[in-house]
Amino acid sequence: MKFARFVVVTSFLLFAVSEFASADEIRCINRLTNDFNTDSISHTLSLDDYEVRDYGNDHLALAIKMIRILVDEVGCSPKAINFGRSARGRSHNRCDQILRGVPSSRVCYVETNLGYFFVTTNMLTDMHITFNRWD
């Protein structure tokens, strides 16, 4: 009898936590897309405005850090975004140069539970982050 009660209570708690996470995720997508006015939106963040450590050649780590800053700036909970899970299951992330040998052509593709991001850098210190929600 105790085991059955444990299973019921545990199931209820897991359901309640997953519902809370879903509401948090929806609230964050709402903030990233200006109240669902668009499916994708671009943001520009200057590295000069934030204390970001030097990631060297780890472009993906820098892209994820800047996405975290963006999510924080729009008022999302840090727990709303999950970089390990996407709508397709396990997330896939990658940075590549579109034109070989041209560092300024680098684009990072980052999947999350909220949607996917494209992150580019201009010749100075601006990071351009385009968010696309999953449909």
Side-chain angles (χ1 to χ4, degrees), residues 24 28 67-68 71-72 75-83 113-114:
D24 202 26
C28 189
I67 292 169
R68 286 190 186 281
V71 166
D72 182 56
C76 295
S77 162
K79 294 180 181 179
I81 191 164
N82 183 338
F83 290 94
N113 58 318
L114 304 175

Side-chain angles (χ1 to χ4, degrees), residues 18-69:
S18 68
E19 286 301 310
F20 178 74
S22 296
D24 202 26
E25 291 172 9
I26 291 169
R27 194 171 21 259
C28 189
I29 294 169
N30 181 31
R31 291 179 178 174
L32 282 168
T33 59
N34 293 330
D35 296 325
F36 295 105
N37 285 327
T38 183
D39 289 336
S40 65
I41 191 164
S42 294
H43 303 269
T44 300
L45 302 176
S46 175
L47 288 170
D48 292 335
D49 295 339
Y50 309 98
E51 288 190 31
V52 179
R53 73 176 182 89
D54 182 13
Y55 286 94
N57 287 330
D58 193 351
H59 305 287
L60 184 58
L62 177 59
I64 290 172
K65 175 64 176 176
M66 295 309 289
I67 292 169
R68 286 190 186 281
I69 289 171

